[in-house]
Amino acid sequence: MKNQTTRRQARPRCIRTALHTAFLIPVLAVWILSCTTDHVPPGDHPDAEKYQRIVTRFMEAGASGVSVTVRSPKGIWQGAGGYADKGKGITMSPENTLRIGSMSKVFTAVTILRLHEEGRLSITDKISQYLPAEVTSRIANAGQATIEQCLNHTSGVREYLGDETIEGIASGRIVKYSAAQNLALVYDKPADFPLGKGNYCNTNYLLLSEIIRTVTGKSAYHVVREKTIGPLGLRNTSASVVLPASLTQSYFETDGAMQEVTWVDNNAVGGEGQLDGGMISTSGDVAAFLEALLTGKILSPASLALMQTYLDIDPGTLPDELKYYKQYGLGLMKIETDHGTAIGHDGHVYGFVGKVFYLPEHQTTIAILLNGWSPSSVAVLNAKSTFNLLF
């Protein structure tokens, strides 16, 4: 045990700088899930050969493991490659769950809008109507910011995932902080932007998590399960501090080698109410969720229209490979691919990265989840040309 501890303390020194770079780059009645397509065995899907190219592309880039789901009018295709646990030689399968990072924000936004529909809050309300003064008075801009401004990242509040926080996670000083504990990290510090302006900021969704808890009197994770996961029958999706047995290990490339960093991910987003990026799912579940949302099966038309009230993303805040990311709504990203508009969200958590997008012109959804961060595999994930492999 002593040797194991020594190794764990040594690892952050090797990966700290790389983790910092990778984590900050990304910016960004009972319902029944009515599937318009039927599940088709992967090999029998008419476009199986096309879609398999996506898995192949990631494996050629050295991905440790990848899970892909495509939903289209022709059916549902799922594929996987690499390993869920490299040390034990366990191969990745579509049934494996992975952390979905900021794709959690879509679930959070839907939960807020469900509460809006129920009259338990209004997105135009100031967050200070729901959070205590001892919180809002100590977070710059929080006294005047609205729920909507948190949803679309225009509150201007300070990003809690700064250098000091990432250092704390990598060193093991910050372990499974709750939403409330992470909010305290920005107490009495200046805002990043004036109210009404801003850039992608995870703190916004921690504030929303606390609002959900305050309004309902239940944990934010419980409410997300109640409002989204349960009604949609997403059996492989988890909003909880309890880790499912199906969760894969995670990996991070440092000095050309993939290191296992599962403990870093668990420390970073393992706490209660981490609705900025703490959820766990499969590519199949997140694809089904996004398709149901954007085809009107979850929210009312009015609420869905609110979610799709977009603001332009300043291209100066994006790396060159993501310039096709154009707008942000209420928990939704809008991008322009070579095959038309796509709506969805990215997700990055140290060793887990991925994205889920719906292309309305083609009625097609793609979800890609990776359990390893490396420059080469993330380059494939970010490339606009990856969407071309659908066609």
Side-chain angles (χ1 to χ4, degrees), residues 60-306:
E60 289 174 346
S64 53
V66 62
S67 174
V68 179
T69 295
V70 180
R71 298 174 65 94
S72 77
K74 296 180 181 179
I76 302 169
W77 182 89
Q78 293 183 298
Y83 291 92
D85 186 325
K86 296 178 73 174
K88 295 181 179 179
I90 300 173
T91 58
M92 182 74 78
S93 78
E95 288 70 41
N96 280 118
T97 56
L98 298 85
R99 290 195 179 277
I100 63 172
S102 286
M103 286 174 266
S104 305
K105 290 181 172 69
V106 188
F107 288 84
T108 309
V110 168
T111 301
I112 287 286
L113 283 161
R114 287 289 294 163
L115 295 172
H116 174 89
E117 290 176 349
E118 294 167 7
R120 303 177 76 172
L121 56 78
S122 169
I123 65 169
T124 59
D125 291 339
K126 292 180 179 179
I127 63 175
S128 57
Q129 291 181 226
Y130 303 98
L131 299 182
E134 55 262 33
V135 174
T136 57
S137 66
R138 299 191 67 182
I139 298 177
N141 289 5
Q144 296 299 315
T146 66
I147 293 173
E148 184 174 17
Q149 287 173 322
C150 289
L151 286 165
N152 65 17
H153 299 290
T154 60
S155 71
V157 295
R158 188 181 186 88
E159 173 60 69
Y160 82 96
L161 279 170
D163 292 345
E164 186 177 349
T165 304
I166 293 172
E167 170 78 16
I169 292 167
S171 68
R173 178 173 55 83
I174 293 176
V175 178
K176 300 180 181 179
Y177 272 20
S178 66
Q181 287 175 298
N182 278 315
L183 284 173
L185 297 173
V186 300
Y187 280 1
D188 307 320
K189 296 178 180 179
D192 283 342
F193 296 92
L195 183 68
K197 297 186 181 296
N199 196 4
Y200 187 94
C201 175
N202 292 284
T203 310
N204 286 302
Y205 278 73
L206 297 184
L207 290 165
L208 294 171
S209 177
E210 287 295 277
I211 290 171
I212 291 169
R213 183 177 65 83
T214 302
V215 167
T216 64
K218 303 173 183 177
S219 77
Y221 276 159
H222 178 93
V223 181
V224 169
R225 294 195 300 269
E226 185 177 76
K227 302 293 183 186
T228 62
I229 297 171
L232 287 173
L234 302 176
R235 297 179 181 177
N236 298 306
T237 300
S238 172
S240 174
V241 296
V242 178
L243 300 180
S246 56
L247 181 64
T248 74
Q249 301 296 296
S250 66
Y251 303 90
F252 196 97
E253 183 177 316
T254 307
D255 298 328
M258 295 298 282
Q259 296 188 37
E260 190 259 301
V261 294
T262 311
W263 63 276
V264 177
D265 287 302
N266 291 342
N267 283 357
V269 289
E272 177 59 51
Q274 282 286 104
L275 285 179
D276 61 322
M279 291 179 61
I280 293 167
S281 191
T282 60
S283 63
D285 267 15
V286 291
F289 168 69
L290 187 69
E291 180 184 276
L293 171 63
L294 294 176
T295 55
K297 297 180 179 69
I298 300 179
L299 295 173
S300 69
S303 292
L304 185 56
L306 285 174

Side-chain angles (χ1 to χ4, degrees), residues 284-345:
D285 267 15
V286 291
F289 168 69
L290 187 69
E291 180 184 276
L293 171 63
L294 294 176
T295 55
K297 297 180 179 69
I298 300 179
L299 295 173
S300 69
S303 292
L304 185 56
L306 285 174
M307 280 196 82
Q308 297 189 79
T309 305
Y310 295 103
L311 298 174
D312 289 343
I313 298 172
D314 178 358
T317 66
L318 297 171
D320 288 343
E321 66 270 20
L322 291 179
K323 297 294 187 187
Y324 66 102
Y325 280 55
K326 300 298 183 182
Q327 296 181 311
Y328 199 95
L330 307 189
L332 289 173
M333 295 173 170
K334 187 176 184 181
I335 68 178
E336 295 300 329
T337 76
D338 293 334
H339 295 270
T341 298
I343 301 166
H345 213 288

